[in-house]
Amino acid sequence: MKNFVLRAIQKIDQLDSNQIVDILKSQSREVEMLENVLESIEDGVILTDSKLRINYANSNCPNLVPMVRSRNYEGQPLSKVIEDEHVLRYIVLSVYNRADDLDNEFTFQRGSKVQTVAVNVFTYKLQEAKGLSSYVLMFTDVTEHNANEARMRRSENLASMTTMAAGVAHEIKNPLAAMGIHLQLLKKAFVRQNCLTLEDAERYLDVFEEEVNRLNGIVVDFLFAVRPLDTRLRMGSIVKTLSDICSFVEPELAEHKVVLTCDLSSSLPRLEFDENLLKQALLNLIKNAMNAMEGGGKIRLQAKADGNHVVIMVSDTGTGMDDETLQKIFEPYFTTKATGTGLGLTVVYKIMKEHHGDISVESKLGEGTTFTLSFPIPKSERLSLTEPVKEGLYEA
Ligand code: ADP
Ligand code: MG
């Protein structure tokens, strides 16, 4: 339709008045249809010109952001219409590409309810406007969406607490049973001999000591896994932290005939991360990789930017895992090792959540495993793909 009208404009002097009336009618029908679409959606939509003067606003806008109520906003400067200074400031900074680090969600009291509204600003260029930008402002009610997310997080936490509690109960059963049996044996020995030397009693007491240590280990690991991490995110380069880790683990890996290669892109964007927690996560992964290569092998630590994320990969040439094992590895207390705690990957998962990141794994039985940690690149570090700053845009 747009192309048809553009062609018609070029040949306008060859058209008679009836043809022109037809074109105008079809245009008016199209505008009406688009307005109906914009009126039917739940979001608020405002279209403005390059100086933030309103061309169009749908009737839902005043229900979402505090603004002057009017039948027709056409031609009015946005600054005279939007009544909330924070929303207005956000829109103006967005237009200047300076709002990347600001939160785009705003909370308003509506009677007895609190409403959260997300503001998004999109830029587009019209050919007829000689390349000047126009803006689409979208206001979306995210109150319900945010509440659902919070509910989901709570139930996820509750579910993992239940699994953890079940795990602990299972774990402490064995040491308690061993202690019970040895207490009985000690009693019997005492009854039999009436008096026990330390030497006689030591067989039983040693077991006691061992099991108490085991119980203590279970409790310490449990507390580490469930307690909220004391996360201190700081903006910085991960390259130094990663090469520190490589130097730290290399001697121990060499003892186990494991060759480590570190492949770190030097131009990585900076990240918000907690250095100690990142080290802890990588040490857990490297230790698991080493454990999976009894007779030696290779570990590769890689870090690179991938879209809006930095990914750190730990690959090994170890035993790999079958699908059944893969399903369970992040469950607390799942271990295939005789002396494993089964909490290493639970902790890594938790650390990644603290970084708003993710962890994934690929594994092939008999070939090896790759764990991938993915960290979001802070908005301020992303390459600015939008237009450069324009002057004189904001009309008060
Ligand atoms: P743990 O190391 O105490 O067993 P983790 O949570 O660190 O506990 O790991 C859970 C299980 O996941 C391990 O017992 C092992 O079966 C499996 N696993 C983890 N990393 C690897 C790896 N790189 N290669 C093969 N199996 C692995
Ligand atoms: Mg482990």
Side-chain angles (χ1 to χ4, degrees):
M1 193 57 171
K2 199 171 129 200
N3 288 341
F4 165 70
V5 174
L6 288 176
R7 276 202 309 278
I9 291 171
Q10 279 163 5
K11 293 184 185 164
I12 194 105
D13 46 357
Q14 295 166 29
L15 301 176
D16 63 32
S17 56
N18 281 341
Q19 286 171 309
I20 294 174
V21 168
D22 282 346
I23 290 172
L24 288 176
K25 273 187 184 162
S26 80
Q27 278 300 282
S28 137
R29 271 199 303 276
E30 199 171 332
V31 169
E32 199 181 322
M33 191 181 77
L34 291 176
E35 275 191 18
N36 282 338
V37 170
L38 289 173
E39 279 302 319
S40 68
I41 60 174
E42 285 179 7
D43 291 348
V45 181
I46 294 181
L47 313 178
T48 79
D49 67 8
S50 62
K51 302 245 177 203
L52 286 179
R53 262 186 314 251
I54 299 178
N55 288 331
Y56 169 84
N58 74 354
S59 55
N60 234 349
C61 291
N63 302 330
L64 291 156
V65 287
M67 62 192 270
V68 174
R69 287 198 182 251
S70 161
R71 264 182 184 281
N72 187 3
Y73 292 101
E74 201 174 331
Q76 299 193 44
L78 193 74
S79 55
K80 294 266 173 5
V81 170
I82 302 270
E83 290 174 323
D84 185 284
E85 58 173 309
H86 302 290
V87 172
L88 188 64
R89 181 168 170 270
Y90 177 79
I91 294 171
V92 172
L93 288 174
S94 294
V95 161
Y96 279 105
N97 295 329
R98 284 184 192 153
D100 278 359
D101 284 335
L102 300 179
D103 191 0
N104 75 329
E105 292 188 3
F106 300 86
T107 304
F108 307 110
Q109 187 76 38
R110 298 250 178 228
S112 61
K113 284 194 183 136
V114 172
Q115 185 185 31
T116 308
V117 174
V119 177
N120 284 295
V121 179
F122 302 97
T123 308
Y124 67 98
K125 285 188 172 161
L126 286 177
Q127 271 175 1
E128 300 95 285
K130 300 196 185 75
L132 279 180
S133 299
S134 300
Y135 303 101
V136 181
L137 318 175
M138 297 272 289
F139 308 119
T140 312
D141 187 340
V142 291
T143 319
E144 194 58 27
H145 176 258
N146 289 359
N148 282 343
E149 271 201 345
R151 263 198 293 278
M152 248 173 66
R153 262 198 307 277
R154 270 201 301 276
S155 67
E156 212 178 63
N157 278 345
L158 208 65
S160 76
M161 279 296 280
T162 315
T163 326
M164 289 289 254
V168 173
H170 181 79
E171 288 294 303
I172 63 177
K173 250 166 60 189
N174 288 341
L176 285 180
M179 285 163 83
I181 290 169
H182 283 81
L183 194 62
Q184 290 296 327
L185 291 175
L186 183 66
K187 236 180 177 174
K188 274 188 189 152
F190 191 77
V191 170
R192 235 186 358 252
Q193 298 174 24
N194 207 5
C195 174
L196 280 180
T197 62
L198 179 64
E199 220 175 2
D200 291 331
E202 227 159 27
R203 310 173 26 205
Y204 307 107
L205 296 178
D206 282 353
V207 175
F208 253 74
E209 204 172 349
E210 223 171 81
E211 297 304 327
V212 165
N213 284 340
R214 207 160 118 190
L215 281 174
N216 190 43
I218 293 168
V219 172
V220 169
D221 287 341
F222 173 75
L223 286 179
F224 187 78
V226 295
R227 109 181 149 216
L229 295 172
D230 179 20
T231 313
R232 284 156 207 248
L233 298 182
R234 292 218 171 80
M235 191 75 152
S237 159
I238 55 165
V239 176
K240 174 151 187 328
T241 310
L242 296 189
S243 42
D244 282 354
I245 290 173
C246 290
S247 331
F248 178 72
V249 294
E250 230 161 6
E252 193 183 347
L253 293 178
E255 256 175 47
H256 289 82
K257 298 194 183 62
V258 173
V259 180
L260 175 72
T261 44
C262 281
D263 188 354
L264 313 174
S265 160
S266 56
S267 58
L268 283 178
R270 296 185 317 150
L271 292 182
E272 271 192 314
F273 70 105
D274 180 312
E275 187 173 0
N276 288 331
L277 293 182
L278 176 63
K279 280 186 177 167
Q280 163 98 53
L282 288 169
L283 286 178
N284 286 4
L285 294 181
I286 293 172
K287 197 169 159 212
N288 279 349
M290 188 183 87
N291 292 155
M293 299 185 290
E294 287 259 299
K298 288 182 194 150
I299 297 181
R300 185 166 176 218
L301 179 71
Q302 255 180 298
K304 60 182 183 192
D306 183 6
N308 287 334
H309 290 83
V310 164
V311 292
I312 304 178
M313 290 187 271
V314 180
S315 316
D316 64 59
T317 56
T319 56
M321 288 171 265
D322 58 25
D323 283 347
E324 207 188 327
T325 308
L326 264 179
Q327 302 286 324
K328 294 188 193 145
I329 53 171
F330 294 109
E331 280 177 19
Y333 298 105
F334 173 79
T335 180
T336 54
K337 302 169 193 170
T339 55
T341 62
L343 289 174
L345 290 175
T346 307
V347 169
V348 180
Y349 181 85
K350 215 171 130 179
I351 290 174
M352 289 316 292
K353 288 294 148 201
E354 291 284 307
H355 286 82
H356 313 291
D358 233 323
I359 177 166
S360 61
V361 53
E362 273 179 51
S363 189
K364 255 204 173 135
L365 211 53
E367 285 185 22
T369 304
T370 299
F371 279 92
T372 304
L373 308 180
S374 156
F375 296 81
I377 299 174
K379 279 186 182 169
S380 58
E381 290 293 302
R382 290 182 199 164
L383 282 180
S384 173
L385 298 172
T386 36
E387 324 156 51
V389 170
K390 297 163 286 292
E391 295 305 329
L393 170 136
Y394 176 34
E395 263 193 346

PDB file of all heavy atoms in Angstrom, residues 256-258 292-297:
ATOM      1  N   HIS A 256      48.557 -34.572  38.171  1.00  0.00           N
ATOM      2  CA  HIS A 256      47.601 -35.594  37.724  1.00  0.00           C
ATOM      3  C   HIS A 256      47.674 -35.829  36.212  1.00  0.00           C
ATOM      4  O   HIS A 256      46.727 -36.342  35.618  1.00  0.00           O
ATOM      5  CB  HIS A 256      46.171 -35.190  38.109  1.00  0.00           C
ATOM      6  CG  HIS A 256      45.908 -35.287  39.575  1.00  0.00           C
ATOM      7  ND1 HIS A 256      46.261 -34.297  40.463  1.00  0.00           N
ATOM      8  CD2 HIS A 256      45.354 -36.282  40.318  1.00  0.00           C
ATOM      9  CE1 HIS A 256      45.920 -34.667  41.684  1.00  0.00           C
ATOM     10  NE2 HIS A 256      45.367 -35.862  41.628  1.00  0.00           N
ATOM     11  N   LYS A 257      48.771 -35.378  35.615  1.00  0.00           N
ATOM     12  CA  LYS A 257      49.003 -35.545  34.159  1.00  0.00           C
ATOM     13  C   LYS A 257      47.910 -34.892  33.316  1.00  0.00           C
ATOM     14  O   LYS A 257      47.492 -35.407  32.276  1.00  0.00           O
ATOM     15  CB  LYS A 257      49.096 -37.022  33.790  1.00  0.00           C
ATOM     16  CG  LYS A 257      50.245 -37.747  34.444  1.00  0.00           C
ATOM     17  CD  LYS A 257      50.465 -39.086  33.765  1.00  0.00           C
ATOM     18  CE  LYS A 257      51.548 -39.887  34.430  1.00  0.00           C
ATOM     19  NZ  LYS A 257      51.261 -40.242  35.835  1.00  0.00           N
ATOM     20  N   VAL A 258      47.423 -33.777  33.817  1.00  0.00           N
ATOM     21  CA  VAL A 258      46.404 -33.042  33.068  1.00  0.00           C
ATOM     22  C   VAL A 258      47.033 -31.763  32.514  1.00  0.00           C
ATOM     23  O   VAL A 258      47.659 -31.007  33.255  1.00  0.00           O
ATOM     24  CB  VAL A 258      45.195 -32.691  33.953  1.00  0.00           C
ATOM     25  CG1 VAL A 258      44.214 -31.786  33.209  1.00  0.00           C
ATOM     26  CG2 VAL A 258      44.481 -33.960  34.415  1.00  0.00           C
ATOM     27  N   ALA A 292      37.365 -36.377  36.383  1.00  0.00           N
ATOM     28  CA  ALA A 292      36.813 -37.194  35.294  1.00  0.00           C
ATOM     29  C   ALA A 292      37.916 -37.756  34.390  1.00  0.00           C
ATOM     30  O   ALA A 292      37.625 -38.422  33.402  1.00  0.00           O
ATOM     31  CB  ALA A 292      35.830 -36.361  34.477  1.00  0.00           C
ATOM     32  N   MET A 293      39.192 -37.428  34.733  1.00  0.00           N
ATOM     33  CA  MET A 293      40.300 -37.893  33.876  1.00  0.00           C
ATOM     34  C   MET A 293      41.348 -38.592  34.732  1.00  0.00           C
ATOM     35  O   MET A 293      42.415 -38.039  34.983  1.00  0.00           O
ATOM     36  CB  MET A 293      40.909 -36.694  33.137  1.00  0.00           C
ATOM     37  CG  MET A 293      39.906 -36.012  32.243  1.00  0.00           C
ATOM     38  SD  MET A 293      40.580 -34.697  31.227  1.00  0.00           S
ATOM     39  CE  MET A 293      40.920 -33.449  32.438  1.00  0.00           C
ATOM     40  N   GLU A 294      41.021 -39.772  35.150  1.00  0.00           N
ATOM     41  CA  GLU A 294      41.900 -40.522  36.072  1.00  0.00           C
ATOM     42  C   GLU A 294      43.322 -40.661  35.544  1.00  0.00           C
ATOM     43  O   GLU A 294      44.278 -40.376  36.244  1.00  0.00           O
ATOM     44  CB  GLU A 294      41.317 -41.920  36.305  1.00  0.00           C
ATOM     45  CG  GLU A 294      40.096 -41.917  37.183  1.00  0.00           C
ATOM     46  CD  GLU A 294      40.426 -42.338  38.597  1.00  0.00           C
ATOM     47  OE1 GLU A 294      40.895 -43.480  38.753  1.00  0.00           O
ATOM     48  OE2 GLU A 294      40.213 -41.529  39.533  1.00  0.00           O
ATOM     49  N   GLY A 295      43.450 -41.052  34.286  1.00  0.00           N
ATOM     50  CA  GLY A 295      44.791 -41.295  33.745  1.00  0.00           C
ATOM     51  C   GLY A 295      45.396 -40.060  33.100  1.00  0.00           C
ATOM     52  O   GLY A 295      46.352 -40.174  32.333  1.00  0.00           O
ATOM     53  N   GLY A 296      44.852 -38.906  33.340  1.00  0.00           N
ATOM     54  CA  GLY A 296      45.342 -37.671  32.714  1.00  0.00           C
ATOM     55  C   GLY A 296      44.504 -37.282  31.516  1.00  0.00           C
ATOM     56  O   GLY A 296      43.623 -38.043  31.092  1.00  0.00           O
ATOM     57  N   GLY A 297      44.770 -36.111  30.967  1.00  0.00           N
ATOM     58  CA  GLY A 297      43.996 -35.630  29.820  1.00  0.00           C
ATOM     59  C   GLY A 297      44.197 -34.146  29.627  1.00  0.00           C
ATOM     60  O   GLY A 297      45.227 -33.600  30.050  1.00  0.00           O
TER      61      GLY A 297
END
